């Protein structure tokens, strides 16, 4: 008995069922590649029947999403090693930008603290300039900003106004720096000058006096005019610091080490030192550079101590330990700049050059000396005119200084 429906099986006209005969062969079309961001190339998304065809992703055959052994398309890439060269470059650039920003900020901060109060354009009949740069460095006995307790501690007294306690010419040239002390008791002629405040012209009267009297009479401008007139050397910049600023700088760097060859004591300055190497604080340093009555040559011996100390101060301040340490650099700069008075044309760059020239005075080609003295007049020290002229000529021409001082 045949259970096949009519038209099928043996009774049919073919060896295949009708349904099979009616179905034409359909060629299988390839499924379009899936795009990473969707199907936006004209094809509909392929139907996913969930049937596993057995295809292995990531095989050597480079299946539908594997590529050359890589992850299927659309999957997150595998973790890669960090690019240390790029990170180092970015870190270095960030550090450079940070250092530049700090340097610029420090420059403007320091520049704003400079007291540019001396107008050298008021100085008349000035000598011609020469090679190198000449600084007139003045230590004044200004007590501005000091309390009564500080005046007593530093043995400064309470005199009104201010006078010059030390004066030096620093020449910075190609043959090394030269530091020349100008004793305050030097006998000089006061030339014609224009009043720094009144603008009035005062004619020359042939009047002789001590050098520090010029400062007391009409301030820094007359002092510069008097130094230039009596030496013939053009002064490019003026720098002045008071008692308090000097002591504060020393304390800010933690003291200055200096070798004292012979013990001395002076009740006027408060000095009481034993011989040998020792570190002086601000109070002791001020006493050291101000002492004069304990020495046989009084002011001449004092100027030698001043030169020695300032060179040591500059040498011990201009070190990586101070410059690269903000906890030392900023207090040191602040202590000095707070009481520093300079001329209107002084820049921080020029001030820095002066500082490093001072550091080089005792090393390399540096020279330190007193202005050559030939004798005395009424208690004032008279300069040796012949040697002074020779010295000034060597400085103007930036030659090696060969002139010496006998005192």
């Amino acid at each position: 008995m045949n259970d096949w429906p009519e038209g099928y099986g043996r009774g049919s006209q073919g060896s295949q069922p009708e349904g099979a005969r009616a179905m034409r062969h359909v060629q299988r079309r390839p499924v379009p590649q899936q795009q990473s961001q969707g199907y936006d190339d004209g094809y509909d998304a392929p139907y996913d029947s969930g049937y596993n065809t057995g295809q292995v992703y990531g095989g050597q055959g480079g299946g539908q999403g594997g590529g050359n052994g890589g992850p299927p398309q659309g999957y997150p890439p595998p973790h890669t090693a960090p690019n240390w060269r790029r990170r180092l470059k970015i870190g270095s650039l960030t550090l450079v930008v940070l250092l530049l920003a700090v340097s610029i900020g420090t420059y403007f901060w320091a520049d704003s603290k400079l007291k540019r109060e001396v107008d050298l354009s008021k100085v008349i009949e000035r000598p011609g300039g020469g090679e190198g740069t000449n600084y007139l460095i003045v230590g004044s006995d200004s007590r501005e900003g000091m309390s009564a307790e500080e005046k007593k501690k530093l043995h400064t007294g309470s005199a009104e106004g201010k006078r010059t306690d030390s004066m030096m010419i620093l020449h910075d040239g190609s043959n090394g720096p030269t530091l020349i002390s100008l004793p305050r008791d030097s006998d000089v002629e006061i030339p014609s000058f224009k009043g720094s405040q009144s603008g009035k012209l005062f004619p020359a009267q042939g009047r002789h006096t001590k050098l520090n009297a010029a400062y007391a009479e009409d301030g820094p401008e007359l002092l510069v005019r008097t130094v230039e007139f009596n030496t013939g050397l053009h002064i490019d910049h003026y720098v002045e610091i008071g008692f308090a600023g000097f002591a504060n700088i020393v304390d800010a760097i933690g003291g200055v080490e200096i070798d004292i060859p012979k013990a001395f004591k002076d009740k006027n300055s408060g000095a009481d030192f034993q011989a040998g190497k020792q570190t002086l604080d601000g109070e002791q340093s001020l006493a050291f550079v101000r002492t004069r009555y304990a020495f046989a040559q009084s002011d001449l011996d004092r100027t030698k101590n001043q030169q020695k100390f300032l060179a040591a101060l500059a040498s011990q301040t201009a070190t990586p330990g101070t410059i690269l340490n903000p906890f030392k650099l900023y207090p040191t700069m602040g202590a000095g700049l707070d009481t520093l008075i300079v001329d209107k044309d002084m820049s921080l760059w020029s001030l820095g050059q002066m500082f490093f020239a001072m550091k080089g005075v005792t090393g390399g080609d540096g020279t330190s000396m007193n202005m050559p003295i030939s004798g005395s007049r009424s208690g004032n020290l008279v300069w040796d005119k012949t040697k002074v002229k020779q010295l000034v000529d060597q400085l103007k021409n930036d030659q090696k200084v060969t002139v010496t001082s006998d005192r």
Side-chain angles (χ1 to χ4, degrees), residues 184-224:
R184 56 182 281 177
D185 294 339
S186 297
D187 185 271
V188 295
E189 180 181 345
I190 300 296
S192 59
F193 68 96
K194 183 183 290 186
S196 59
Q197 300 299 322
S198 66
K200 178 183 176 181
L201 181 63
F202 294 87
Q205 300 175 349
R207 176 167 54 98
H208 281 252
T209 185
K210 293 182 179 181
L211 181 58
N212 66 336
Y215 180 95
E217 186 172 333
D218 198 51
E221 288 84 0
L222 179 55
L223 178 61
V224 171

Side-chain angles (χ1 to χ4, degrees), residues 135-143 161-169 179-184 211-212 215-216 220 223 238-247 249 286 289-290 299 302-303 306 310 339-341 354 358:
Y135 301 86
L136 181 60
I137 303 173
V138 175
S140 77
D141 64 358
S142 172
R143 299 155 177 83
K162 59 181 181 180
R163 285 155 294 279
T164 53
D165 210 54
S166 61
M167 292 161 284
M168 303 178 185
I169 294 175
L179 184 63
I180 307 161
S181 287
L182 310 176
R184 56 182 281 177
L211 181 58
N212 66 336
Y215 180 95
L223 178 61
Y238 177 91
V239 181
E240 176 186 329
I241 190 168
F243 282 161
F246 181 83
I249 290 175
L286 191 57
V289 299
R290 293 184 62 217
D299 203 35
R302 177 170 69 167
T303 57
Q306 291 171 346
L310 288 179
T339 59
L340 203 65
I341 297 174
M354 183 203 79
M358 182 72 75

Side-chain angles (χ1 to χ4, degrees), residues 41-61:
D41 55 358
Y43 290 100
D44 292 328
Y47 172 71
D48 183 7
S49 65
Y51 179 72
N52 186 353
T53 63
Q55 185 176 13
V56 179
Y57 290 99
Q60 296 297 326

Side-chain angles (χ1 to χ4, degrees), residues 342-353:
V342 299
D343 63 272
K344 293 184 179 296
D345 295 326
M346 175 70 84
S347 66
L348 279 178
W349 176 256
S350 295
L351 191 62
Q353 286 183 310

Side-chain angles (χ1 to χ4, degrees), residues 93 112 114 123 125 160 173 203 222 225 236 290 292 313 328-329 344 348 363 366 379:
L93 182 61
S112 67
L114 273 181
V123 181
E125 302 177 23
E160 295 297 327
L222 179 55
R225 167 71 174 135
D236 297 293
R290 293 184 62 217
R292 60 185 303 200
L313 173 63
K328 271 194 173 183
L329 176 63
K344 293 184 179 296
L348 279 178

Side-chain angles (χ1 to χ4, degrees), residues 85-101:
R85 181 177 296 179
R86 182 171 178 270
R87 291 186 179 185
L88 183 61
K89 186 182 295 184
I90 294 175
S92 299
L93 182 61
T94 302
L95 181 61
V96 169
V97 172
L98 180 61
L99 290 176
L100 185 61

